[in-house]
PDB file of all heavy atoms in Angstrom:
ATOM      1  N   PHE A 128      46.803  33.070-115.884  1.00  0.00           N
ATOM      2  CA  PHE A 128      47.389  33.241-114.562  1.00  0.00           C
ATOM      3  C   PHE A 128      48.656  34.093-114.705  1.00  0.00           C
ATOM      4  O   PHE A 128      48.849  35.078-113.826  1.00  0.00           O
ATOM      5  CB  PHE A 128      47.670  31.929-114.045  1.00  0.00           C
ATOM      6  CG  PHE A 128      47.732  31.769-112.519  1.00  0.00           C
ATOM      7  CD1 PHE A 128      46.559  31.630-111.744  1.00  0.00           C
ATOM      8  CD2 PHE A 128      48.893  31.979-111.799  1.00  0.00           C
ATOM      9  CE1 PHE A 128      46.641  31.642-110.432  1.00  0.00           C
ATOM     10  CE2 PHE A 128      48.908  31.996-110.474  1.00  0.00           C
ATOM     11  CZ  PHE A 128      47.811  31.801-109.649  1.00  0.00           C
ATOM     12  N   ASP A 155      67.416  22.486-109.064  1.00  0.00           N
ATOM     13  CA  ASP A 155      68.548  21.512-108.764  1.00  0.00           C
ATOM     14  C   ASP A 155      68.893  21.521-107.320  1.00  0.00           C
ATOM     15  O   ASP A 155      70.091  21.295-106.873  1.00  0.00           O
ATOM     16  CB  ASP A 155      69.832  21.967-109.539  1.00  0.00           C
ATOM     17  CG  ASP A 155      69.857  21.596-110.927  1.00  0.00           C
ATOM     18  OD1 ASP A 155      69.227  20.409-111.318  1.00  0.00           O
ATOM     19  OD2 ASP A 155      70.177  22.317-111.848  1.00  0.00           O
ATOM     20  N   VAL A 162      67.392  24.143 -97.143  1.00  0.00           N
ATOM     21  CA  VAL A 162      66.314  24.867 -97.654  1.00  0.00           C
ATOM     22  C   VAL A 162      65.687  25.506 -96.302  1.00  0.00           C
ATOM     23  O   VAL A 162      65.224  24.636 -95.451  1.00  0.00           O
ATOM     24  CB  VAL A 162      65.303  24.251 -98.478  1.00  0.00           C
ATOM     25  CG1 VAL A 162      64.078  25.085 -98.852  1.00  0.00           C
ATOM     26  CG2 VAL A 162      65.908  23.711 -99.746  1.00  0.00           C
ATOM     27  N   THR A 170      52.603  21.167 -92.980  1.00  0.00           N
ATOM     28  CA  THR A 170      53.779  20.266 -93.283  1.00  0.00           C
ATOM     29  C   THR A 170      53.995  20.053 -94.763  1.00  0.00           C
ATOM     30  O   THR A 170      54.992  19.366 -95.091  1.00  0.00           O
ATOM     31  CB  THR A 170      53.598  18.824 -92.706  1.00  0.00           C
ATOM     32  OG1 THR A 170      52.357  18.494 -93.090  1.00  0.00           O
ATOM     33  CG2 THR A 170      53.522  18.916 -91.175  1.00  0.00           C
ATOM     34  N   VAL A 221      54.042  39.317 -96.673  1.00  0.00           N
ATOM     35  CA  VAL A 221      55.367  39.486 -96.013  1.00  0.00           C
ATOM     36  C   VAL A 221      55.958  40.751 -96.651  1.00  0.00           C
ATOM     37  O   VAL A 221      55.895  40.976 -97.749  1.00  0.00           O
ATOM     38  CB  VAL A 221      56.294  38.247 -96.300  1.00  0.00           C
ATOM     39  CG1 VAL A 221      57.705  38.557 -95.924  1.00  0.00           C
ATOM     40  CG2 VAL A 221      55.649  37.065 -95.557  1.00  0.00           C
ATOM     41  N   MET A 223      58.781  42.108 -98.286  1.00  0.00           N
ATOM     42  CA  MET A 223      59.825  41.325 -98.991  1.00  0.00           C
ATOM     43  C   MET A 223      61.130  41.881 -99.070  1.00  0.00           C
ATOM     44  O   MET A 223      62.083  41.119 -99.201  1.00  0.00           O
ATOM     45  CB  MET A 223      59.221  41.107-100.549  1.00  0.00           C
ATOM     46  CG  MET A 223      58.025  40.173-100.603  1.00  0.00           C
ATOM     47  SD  MET A 223      58.354  38.557 -99.827  1.00  0.00           S
ATOM     48  CE  MET A 223      59.657  37.926-100.921  1.00  0.00           C
ATOM     49  N   ASP A 228      67.069  41.299 -99.751  1.00  0.00           N
ATOM     50  CA  ASP A 228      68.465  41.612 -99.415  1.00  0.00           C
ATOM     51  C   ASP A 228      69.415  40.423 -98.882  1.00  0.00           C
ATOM     52  O   ASP A 228      70.546  40.648 -98.663  1.00  0.00           O
ATOM     53  CB  ASP A 228      68.421  42.679 -98.253  1.00  0.00           C
ATOM     54  CG  ASP A 228      67.861  43.987 -98.779  1.00  0.00           C
ATOM     55  OD1 ASP A 228      67.818  44.200 -99.983  1.00  0.00           O
ATOM     56  OD2 ASP A 228      67.502  44.854 -97.866  1.00  0.00           O
ATOM     57  N   ILE A 258      54.878  29.619-105.700  1.00  0.00           N
ATOM     58  CA  ILE A 258      53.824  28.589-105.864  1.00  0.00           C
ATOM     59  C   ILE A 258      52.561  28.987-105.235  1.00  0.00           C
ATOM     60  O   ILE A 258      52.443  29.734-104.355  1.00  0.00           O
ATOM     61  CB  ILE A 258      54.382  27.123-105.173  1.00  0.00           C
ATOM     62  CG1 ILE A 258      54.460  27.441-103.639  1.00  0.00           C
ATOM     63  CG2 ILE A 258      55.733  26.737-105.777  1.00  0.00           C
ATOM     64  CD1 ILE A 258      53.620  26.495-102.849  1.00  0.00           C
ATOM     65  N   ALA A 312      39.544  24.581-116.341  1.00  0.00           N
ATOM     66  CA  ALA A 312      38.331  25.264-116.793  1.00  0.00           C
ATOM     67  C   ALA A 312      37.656  25.910-115.589  1.00  0.00           C
ATOM     68  O   ALA A 312      37.278  27.185-115.642  1.00  0.00           O
ATOM     69  CB  ALA A 312      37.316  24.385-117.475  1.00  0.00           C
ATOM     70  N   PRO A 351      46.995  47.355 -95.916  1.00  0.00           N
ATOM     71  CA  PRO A 351      46.229  47.572 -97.164  1.00  0.00           C
ATOM     72  C   PRO A 351      46.341  46.502 -98.089  1.00  0.00           C
ATOM     73  O   PRO A 351      45.515  46.237 -99.030  1.00  0.00           O
ATOM     74  CB  PRO A 351      46.691  48.930 -97.657  1.00  0.00           C
ATOM     75  CG  PRO A 351      47.999  49.142 -97.031  1.00  0.00           C
ATOM     76  CD  PRO A 351      47.990  48.444 -95.728  1.00  0.00           C
ATOM     77  N   ASP A 396      63.330  22.390 -80.198  1.00  0.00           N
ATOM     78  CA  ASP A 396      63.075  23.596 -79.419  1.00  0.00           C
ATOM     79  C   ASP A 396      63.706  24.790 -80.173  1.00  0.00           C
ATOM     80  O   ASP A 396      64.447  24.591 -81.196  1.00  0.00           O
ATOM     81  CB  ASP A 396      63.804  23.544 -78.097  1.00  0.00           C
ATOM     82  CG  ASP A 396      63.111  22.492 -77.218  1.00  0.00           C
ATOM     83  OD1 ASP A 396      61.847  22.324 -77.385  1.00  0.00           O
ATOM     84  OD2 ASP A 396      63.694  21.985 -76.326  1.00  0.00           O
ATOM     85  N   VAL A 420      23.364  36.563 -92.854  1.00  0.00           N
ATOM     86  CA  VAL A 420      22.824  35.913 -91.592  1.00  0.00           C
ATOM     87  C   VAL A 420      24.033  35.242 -90.800  1.00  0.00           C
ATOM     88  O   VAL A 420      24.215  35.423 -89.654  1.00  0.00           O
ATOM     89  CB  VAL A 420      21.837  34.935 -91.862  1.00  0.00           C
ATOM     90  CG1 VAL A 420      21.355  34.128 -90.608  1.00  0.00           C
ATOM     91  CG2 VAL A 420      20.535  35.610 -92.475  1.00  0.00           C
TER      92      VAL A 420
END
Side-chain angles (χ1 to χ4, degrees):
F128 205 83
D155 281 322
V162 177
T170 51
V221 168
M223 289 305 294
D228 288 346
I258 62 120
D396 291 330
V420 171

